[in-house]
Amino acid sequence: MIPSHVPPFVLAGLSSGCLLLGACAGGTAATRPAESLSVRELNIVDEHGQTRVRIAAPMPDPQGLKRAVTAYGIQFLSASGQEIGGLGMLDSIGVRGLCFDSEEGYEAMCMGLEQGKPTITFRHDWKERITLGVVDGVAGIVLHDAQGNPRLRLEVDKDGTTRAVGVTSTSTAP
C-alpha cells in the first residue's frame, strides 16, 4: 500500500522500475510475447556459447566449404561448429531435404524431395550405396557397390509390374 501523500513523480519512477524489474525477472502481465519476429538468422547456442542449431535464410556455408547453391533452412552443428546435418530448401534446383552428414563432411543420409520426386539416399565414403525413390510413378530401390556403381535395381511401376535388374553376380568365386 502506497501512502496518498507520495508525489506523482515518485510513483512514476516506482512504476517504471517495477515494469523494468518485472520484465527482467521473467515477465508480468505487462510483458507479452511478440506477435511476429522477422530475422535473417537465429542461432541457438549451447552452454558454452557455441551455435548448435541455426535457422537462416540464406544459410551460411559449412565450415571450410562453399555451397554450390543458396540454401534456406535449419543447420545442425557439432560442438566445434561443423555442420552435421540440416533441413534445407534449395529453391534454385527444386530440392527440399533433411540430411545428416558424416564426420568427413559428406551427406551420409538424406531424405528429400528432388523436383517433385521423393528419395532417400544412404552414402558411405562419399559414394551412394542405397537409393530409394519414386521416379515417374516407378518405385525403386538401387544398391550400389563400394565405388558407387549401381549393382541391383528393384522396381515396381504404377501398373504393378515388378522388375529386378542386375541380379547376376559380378564377383568371381574363389
Side-chain angles (χ1 to χ4, degrees), residues 47-142:
E47 65 277 14
H48 306 291
Q50 174 64 50
T51 299
R52 299 302 298 268
V53 178
R54 175 180 290 130
I55 303 172
M59 287 194 294
D61 292 330
Q63 224 178 45
L65 300 172
K66 175 78 175 125
R67 292 188 197 284
V69 297
T70 302
Y72 305 93
I74 302 171
Q75 281 179 307
F76 306 127
L77 302 149
S78 69
S80 65
Q82 176 184 357
E83 183 175 293
I84 56 172
L87 175 64
M89 297 170 288
L90 311 174
D91 297 339
S92 64
I93 58 173
V95 173
R96 296 179 197 113
L98 171 63
C99 297
F100 295 95
D101 303 342
S102 70
E103 292 299 320
E104 295 81 23
Y106 64 86
E107 296 171 335
M109 182 176 71
C110 289
M111 178 175 60
L113 189 60
E114 300 174 14
Q115 299 180 357
K117 300 171 185 138
T119 61
I120 299 174
T121 304
F122 298 93
R123 294 180 183 88
H124 181 72
D125 289 336
W126 296 82
K127 298 188 179 61
E128 286 191 16
R129 294 304 309 273
I130 303 171
T131 306
L132 295 87
V134 179
V135 177
D136 299 326
V138 178
I141 299 172
V142 181

